[in-house]
């Protein structure tokens, strides 16, 4: 089964990463429908928060210390 990522919710999960604000702006420039979960303590709890907010059956998460690079 092929999944079109443009049909999925994409969540940016951040807590206190040094560049999280800059990285989120970069992500939204590339993926305007990206949502953010910020300040939730614990990876499991943050992923559960994404699940509660998601409008799609599946979703993608991106950690706050990551930034997308063109290949």
């Amino acid at each position: 089964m092929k999944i079109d990522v443009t049909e999925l919710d994409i969540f940016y999960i951040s807590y206190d990463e040094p560049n999280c604000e800059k990285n989120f702006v970069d992500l939204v420039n590339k993926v305007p429908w990206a949502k953010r979960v910020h300040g939730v303590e614990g990876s499991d709890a943050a992923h559960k928060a994404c699940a509660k907010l998601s409008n799609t059956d599946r979703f993608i998460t991106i950690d706050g210390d990551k930034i997308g690079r063109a290949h």
Side-chain angles (χ1 to χ4, degrees):
M1 170 168 63
K2 230 177 181 181
I3 297 174
D4 183 353
V5 298
T6 63
E7 295 178 4
L8 298 177
D9 281 334
I10 295 181
F11 289 93
Y12 180 78
I13 299 174
S14 58
Y15 189 73
D16 63 357
E17 298 82 1
N19 293 322
C20 67
E21 299 300 328
K22 178 182 167 190
N23 293 351
F24 182 62
V25 169
D26 179 69
L27 174 64
V28 170
N29 284 328
K30 296 171 183 169
V31 183
W33 68 93
K35 301 175 183 181
R36 186 173 186 183
V37 169
H38 179 74
V40 176
E41 191 167 337
S43 179
D44 187 53
H47 284 87
K48 286 179 180 178
C50 292
K52 280 186 176 183
L53 295 171
S54 184
N55 295 316
T56 56
D57 290 339
R58 296 183 172 112
F59 56 88
I60 296 169
T61 62
I62 300 169
D63 292 340
D65 60 349
K66 303 298 180 209
I67 189 165
R69 300 212 188 325
H71 293 281

